[in-house]
């Protein structure tokens, strides 16, 4: 719990008061920030500046630039279902779901949202919504059932049909190559703890790019390497369910290496479109006296990934025994990094995909503390201004690169199917306002994808947490657009977010 002084701080934060200055970890230009956290691997950040105070949205709608992309997102294991159809092999998530007690209600990836069979109807709903792009992931076990060897043509053919259906509907494909469904055979051989898995991923990426690279699309190599490494390999709450921070940081490095290798394969293939990585980033706000601990949390949560991909270096304060660090041996991590690895990881990409859900406070012992109200997902502290902080920090501290907001959303308040979701409409409205604000301040943000298009299998929550703007009756698979769908439809039609 926070220190005794924290409640007044939290109250001020909730009111948007100028408690924090611009030197927050992901918050240059913040309406809320405490003090600049520690130095990045490339050196200290800019000097602090006075808080600009509370930003109030204008009374009129905020328009977005012409050509701005509005999209929605899902992932393969969460929505496809048909987990044994057409030669698909088992993934780590199939194994995790089959382990008693790992997923609420004993849920599995079947039926998901049955997209494998209902994709054509879903594209029609996308067209009704009016999105210009749809982000989905390719299931590695559908393409290579054991993670190596020849391609499973039936899997490639399904994705070909799906991509062609999107293109025919005027919807730009946004293709994620890995969203956590590692083939189980690769996990049995050591998984992301082994360097060889990065090489296997590069081979797989080459197969998919060769098959679909004639389509003008945005490509994403790895989805949230942090979540897969930490939650799956350190916290044990997601597949593969491990509890070893040393394995987690090995998974970080090898996923990032896989990203760089895949970008190079993409270039060699001559594929159309653009490619980058999708990082979930977490603005960090220190409580009183917690600047050093928060700097380390920032390194662990953000700079470990940003610095490697965009600067070709790892921060020195992310891993070790100090409060806020990943509790692994930094020398053992350094030994994983071979000559040339960081050059590969930082191979120039065409875009950076940013995934934003909320923020965190950090106490003096490095613990994450609640400074803003949470959604039904208790890990999600809702603070729209944090998105602005994040985007401006990326503008100011890292090399210029097009930014796409590829996940942004909130779950329903209860597990029951509903179309009445004013909390989601408000979440989307306020975050879209902050995106527009950032664009007006020179942030090169080009797209906003809502998470999620459909209610789906929500990892360890099973079917007990619904994130979709389209509701799904999991018994009948009937689709029911929610009120937030209608709100988003109006935003897209006007290319503007209303004031209220």
């Amino acid at each position: 719990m926070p220190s005794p002084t924290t409640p007044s701080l939290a109250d001020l934060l909730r009111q948007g008061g100028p408690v924090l200055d611009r030197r927050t970890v992901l918050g240059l230009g913040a309406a809320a920030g405490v003090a600049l956290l520690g130095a990045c691997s490339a050196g200290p950040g800019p000097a602090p500046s006075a808080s600009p105070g509370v930003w109030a949205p204008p009374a009129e709608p905020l328009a977005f630039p012409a050509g701005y992309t509005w999209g929605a997102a899902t992932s393969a294991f969460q929505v496809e279902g048909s987990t044994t159809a057409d030669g698909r092999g088992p993934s780590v998530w199939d194994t995790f779901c089959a382990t008693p007690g790992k997923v609420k209600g004993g849920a599995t990836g079947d039926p998901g949202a049955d997209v494998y069979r209902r994709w054509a109807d879903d594209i029609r709903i996308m067209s009704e919504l009016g999105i210009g792009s749809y982000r989905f992931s390719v299931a590695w076990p559908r393409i290579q059932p054991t993670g190596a060897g020849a391609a499973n043509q039936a899997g490639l053919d399904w994705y070909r049909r799906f991509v062609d259906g999107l293109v025919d509907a005027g919807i730009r494909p946004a293709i994620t190559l890995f969203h956590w469904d590692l083939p189980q055979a690769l996990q049995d051989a050591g998984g992301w703890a082994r360097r060889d898995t990065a090489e296997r991923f590069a081979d797989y990426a080459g197969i998919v790019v060769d098959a679909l690279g004639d389509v003008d699309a945005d490509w994403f190599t790895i989805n949230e390497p942090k979540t897969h490494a930490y939650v799956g390999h350190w916290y044990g709450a997601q597949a593969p369910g491990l509890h070893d921070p040393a394995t987690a940081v090995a998974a970080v490095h090898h996923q990032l290496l896989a990203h760089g290798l895949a970008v190079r394969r993409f270039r060699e293939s001559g594929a159309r479109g653009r490619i980058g990585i999708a990082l979930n980033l977490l603005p960090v706000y220190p409580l009183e006296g917690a600047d050093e601990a928060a700097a380390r949390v920032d390194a662990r949560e953000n700079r470990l990934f940003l610095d490697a991909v965009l600067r070709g270096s790892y921060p020195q304060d992310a891993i070790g025994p100090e409060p806020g660090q990943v509790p692994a041996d930094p020398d053992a991590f350094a030994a994983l990094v071979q000559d040339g690895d960081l050059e590969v990881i930082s191979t120039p990409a065409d875009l950076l995909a940013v995934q934003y859900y909320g923020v965190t406070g950090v106490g003096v012992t490095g613990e994450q503390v609640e400074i803003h109200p949470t959604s039904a997902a208790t890990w999600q502290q809702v603070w729209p201004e944090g998105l602005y902080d994040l985007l401006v920090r990326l503008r100011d501290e890292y090399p210029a690169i097009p930014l796409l907001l590829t996940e942004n959303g909130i779950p329903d308040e209860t597990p029951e199917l509903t179309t009445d979701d004013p909390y989601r409409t408000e979440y989307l409205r306020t975050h879209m306002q902050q995106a527009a604000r950032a664009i007006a301040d020179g942030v090169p943000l080009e797209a906003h994808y809502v998470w999620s298009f459909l209610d789906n299998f929500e990892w360890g929550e099973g079917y007990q947490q619904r994130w979709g703007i389209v509701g799904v009756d999991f018994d009948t698979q009937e689709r029911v657009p929610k009120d937030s769908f209608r709100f988003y439809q109006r935003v897209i039609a006007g290319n503007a977010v209303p004031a209220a």
Side-chain angles (χ1 to χ4, degrees):
M1 293 296 291
S3 68
T5 62
T6 300
S8 60
L9 172 62
D11 290 343
L12 286 166
L13 286 169
R14 291 188 181 97
Q15 296 164 15
V19 178
L20 313 176
D21 74 27
R22 293 183 61 168
R23 298 181 66 196
T24 57
V25 175
L26 283 181
L28 296 176
V34 172
L36 177 61
L37 307 183
C40 299
S41 57
S49 61
S51 170
V54 180
W55 180 81
E60 64 275 4
L62 288 173
F64 285 78
Y68 192 76
T69 296
W70 297 104
T74 61
S75 81
F77 193 80
Q78 292 178 278
V79 301
E80 284 182 359
S82 300
T83 55
T84 60
D86 296 332
R88 180 189 178 276
S91 74
V92 292
W93 267 100
D94 295 286
T95 302
F96 191 77
C97 290
T99 305
K102 294 296 186 181
V103 178
K104 286 185 179 179
T108 72
D110 257 333
D114 200 24
V115 168
Y116 196 76
R117 297 191 302 131
R118 298 172 184 267
W119 61 270
D121 289 337
D122 288 333
I123 290 177
R124 283 191 283 273
I125 299 173
M126 295 175 207
S127 295
E128 178 188 351
L129 178 59
I131 54 175
S133 182
Y134 178 70
R135 178 172 173 252
F136 65 96
S137 72
V138 175
W140 189 347
R142 288 203 192 277
I143 307 305
Q144 291 179 304
T146 63
N152 172 31
Q153 191 61 45
L156 287 173
D157 289 346
W158 187 87
Y159 288 107
R160 179 85 252 180
R161 291 191 296 274
F162 185 65
V163 165
D164 287 347
L166 290 172
V167 172
D168 290 345
I171 300 170
R172 180 181 176 88
I175 307 168
T176 303
L177 288 166
F178 180 71
H179 199 126
W180 309 345
D181 47 359
L182 187 75
Q184 183 61 44
L186 290 184
Q187 183 61 38
D188 293 342
W192 286 112
R194 294 186 67 231
R195 185 182 184 88
D196 182 67
T197 302
E199 298 287 350
R200 300 288 70 73
F201 177 79
D203 292 344
Y204 152 71
I207 291 170
V208 179
V209 168
D210 286 346
L212 303 176
D214 60 310
V215 175
D216 190 15
D218 285 332
W219 293 76
F220 310 99
T221 54
I222 306 284
N223 178 80
E224 297 188 7
K226 176 178 67 176
T227 303
H228 190 53
Y230 293 176
V231 185
H233 297 76
W234 174 14
Y235 311 154
Q238 293 187 3
L242 306 181
H243 295 270
D244 181 10
T247 300
V249 295
V252 168
H253 179 63
H254 294 143
Q255 285 181 94
L256 294 179
L257 181 62
H259 154 73
L261 292 171
V263 172
R264 294 188 172 194
R265 291 288 180 94
F266 183 86
R267 301 279 184 248
E268 293 165 3
S269 74
R272 301 174 64 191
R274 306 184 296 177
I275 194 167
I277 193 170
L279 301 179
N280 58 315
L281 301 172
L282 183 69
V284 173
Y285 302 102
L287 303 187
E288 184 177 355
D291 292 8
E292 292 183 2
R296 292 188 289 266
V297 172
D298 175 53
R300 180 190 81 201
E301 297 289 327
N302 302 307
R303 288 185 279 118
L304 186 62
F305 305 89
L306 287 168
D307 287 10
V309 171
L310 297 178
R311 290 178 172 154
S313 62
Y314 281 125
Q316 298 302 303
D317 53 346
I319 299 167
E322 298 297 324
Q325 294 179 321
V326 181
D329 182 350
D331 293 332
F333 177 75
L336 295 171
V337 184
Q338 298 184 10
D339 289 346
D341 279 6
L342 285 164
E343 182 180 357
V344 172
I345 291 169
S346 60
T347 298
D350 304 306
L351 55 85
L352 175 66
V354 176
Q355 314 209 144
Y356 176 83
Y357 288 97
V359 302
T360 191
V362 175
V364 294
T365 61
E367 76 279 14
Q368 293 183 223
V369 297
E370 183 179 332
I371 58 173
H372 291 288
T374 66
S375 72
T378 55
W379 53 264
Q380 183 183 26
Q381 297 187 44
V382 177
W383 180 239
E385 285 83 346
L387 175 60
Y388 176 84
D389 294 351
L390 164 58
L391 294 172
V392 171
R393 192 261 181 106
L394 293 173
R395 179 200 68 190
D396 288 353
E397 291 191 12
Y398 288 93
I401 188 170
L403 302 176
L404 282 67
L405 183 59
T406 45
E407 289 187 22
N408 183 229
I410 194 171
D412 285 332
E413 293 181 342
T414 66
E416 288 74 35
L417 176 61
T418 183
T419 60
D420 181 20
D421 59 346
Y423 40 84
R424 179 174 291 111
T425 294
E426 180 66 7
Y427 180 96
L428 295 176
R429 184 183 67 81
T430 54
H431 285 76
M432 289 169 183
Q433 287 177 332
Q434 294 298 327
R437 178 189 176 200
I439 291 169
D441 285 347
V443 171
L445 182 66
E446 298 184 356
H448 197 132
Y449 291 75
V450 169
W451 184 273
S452 173
F453 177 61
L454 296 167
D455 287 343
N456 54 45
F457 173 85
E458 182 50 35
W459 309 118
E461 297 295 323
Y463 297 99
Q464 300 301 305
Q465 203 172 83
R466 296 173 177 269
W467 288 75
I469 58 172
V470 177
V472 177
D473 182 325
F474 294 115
D475 293 327
T476 66
Q477 291 298 328
E478 179 185 3
R479 273 70 164 141
V480 185
K482 302 179 186 179
D483 291 348
S484 58
F485 177 100
R486 303 303 177 193
F487 165 80
Y488 193 27
Q489 195 175 43
R490 294 191 295 272
V491 169
I492 296 168
N495 200 34
V497 58

